[in-house]
Amino acid sequence: MHLRLFAIVISLLCEVIRMGSGVVQKQSAHRETSDDCRSCLECSRDNGCMRCPDRLFLFLQRKGISHHGTCLHTCPAGHFGQRGKDVNQCMKCNALECEQCFSRDFCTKCRPGFQLYKGKCLTRCPNGTYADQTDCKDKCVQLGEWSEWSTCLHNGLTCGFNWGNQTRTRGGGPSGRTPEEKAASVCPAYTETQKCKMRKVCPTERRKAKKGRGRKKKKRLRPHAIDSVGHSLNETTVPGGEDGDP
């Protein structure tokens, strides 16, 4: 009797423990799935995100024999974001030494130990170039002195505006060059532009304005001109009196 009662108690205790363990596992699985799917529009417990909002990129990461999806604002190193009609996806750069890329075959940043040159990550810069931090730049020789600043112009005019622009250039240079300069390429001509103060009024306009003021002044003085006797100089007098008698 006692053994049977003891067996019943033990079986009930085991069932309670099993049910409690199942609840804990379900809660844990639900929490894990919720964390993985919080930024997804469509999600799978086994494969994670399968569809993302329009502004996010779907990043598929291999886990064993399957892929696990995550929705990201920016793609991780070694990947670039490719927007599509149905899905925005993180695509892998073809070169392993490429840390950031614009497309599969065009790198924009290399991993440490590599130099970037024209979209490629190289262990050393090619001939005719030099290393500048993480990039390879073309060597060139800047020849010649700066030219004089050009005339201040605005739309091709030298006056009539408050401000204009003037330019100067540098390039070309003397024909005599050192062997090092001859071995390197010549830098293209470089142009600088700056603002300059212009004359608001052009000289021709100033002369026209002065002539106009002079004519107006003469017209005002003519009706008031008289001689010493009191006759107006602007009237024609006839000798012999006002009536013209001899």
Side-chain angles (χ1 to χ4, degrees):
M1 183 68 180
H2 294 287
L3 292 174
R4 183 180 297 178
L5 182 62
F6 180 75
I8 293 172
V9 172
I10 293 298
S11 62
L12 290 175
L13 183 61
C14 291
E15 184 66 21
V16 170
I17 294 174
R18 187 181 63 82
M19 291 177 64
S21 178
V23 170
V24 171
Q25 289 179 356
K26 287 182 179 180
Q27 291 178 348
S28 177
H30 177 71
R31 183 169 57 252
E32 179 181 354
T33 303
S34 300
D35 291 341
D36 289 345
C37 298
R38 58 186 174 183
S39 59
C40 306
L41 292 179
E42 186 176 340
C43 187
S44 167
R45 177 178 177 181
D46 297 326
N47 300 110
C49 295
M50 295 185 294
R51 194 160 66 92
C52 300
D54 292 339
R55 67 183 185 278
L56 302 182
F57 294 94
L58 177 62
F59 174 55
L60 295 177
Q61 191 174 15
R62 181 178 291 277
K63 285 189 176 181
I65 59 174
S66 62
H67 286 83
H68 189 83
T70 309
C71 293
L72 304 174
H73 286 278
T74 56
C75 295
H79 296 76
F80 68 99
Q82 186 177 62
R83 296 190 179 275
K85 183 178 180 180
D86 299 324
V87 62
N88 302 327
Q89 192 168 352
C90 292
M91 307 298 292
K92 194 172 184 179
C93 306
N94 276 346
L96 296 177
E97 60 272 13
C98 186
E99 183 173 329
Q100 295 178 7
C101 56
F102 177 75
S103 62
R104 288 184 181 273
D105 299 307
F106 194 93
C107 295
T108 56
K109 183 180 180 181
C110 299
R111 296 185 185 276
F114 294 90
Q115 302 291 134
L116 180 65
Y117 181 67
K118 295 184 178 180
K120 303 292 183 182
C121 293
L122 309 174
T123 54
R124 57 180 298 179
C125 294
N127 293 333
T129 64
Y130 67 97
D132 182 16
Q133 296 183 358
T134 60
D135 298 339
C136 294
K137 293 187 177 181
D138 293 324
K139 289 182 178 179
C140 65
V141 178
Q142 188 71 64
L143 300 178
E145 300 294 333
W146 285 108
S147 65
E148 297 293 333
W149 287 106
S150 66
T151 305
C152 193
L153 297 174
H154 184 100
N155 293 336
L157 301 177
T158 60
C159 57
F161 299 92
N162 290 331
W163 295 94
N165 293 312
Q166 57 183 174
T167 59
R168 66 175 184 174
T169 58
R170 183 183 183 185
S175 57
R177 296 159 58 188
T178 64
E180 290 77 10
E181 291 175 342
K182 291 180 180 180
S185 60
V186 178
C187 295
Y190 181 70
T191 302
E192 282 187 343
T193 303
Q194 69 175 9
K195 284 189 174 183
C196 51
K197 189 73 174 177
M198 299 184 67
R199 291 177 293 180
K200 294 183 182 179
V201 181
C202 297
T204 54
E205 295 178 358
R206 189 179 289 110
R207 287 197 294 269
K208 289 180 181 179
K210 287 183 178 179
K211 288 182 180 179
R213 287 196 296 269
R215 284 195 296 270
K216 290 181 181 178
K217 187 180 293 185
K218 289 180 181 179
K219 287 182 181 179
R220 287 198 300 269
L221 293 175
R222 285 186 64 186
H224 302 289
I226 57 176
D227 60 7
S228 60
V229 182
H231 295 291
S232 173
L233 296 179
N234 297 326
E235 299 177 357
T236 303
T237 57
V238 180
E242 292 180 358
D243 297 329
D245 296 335

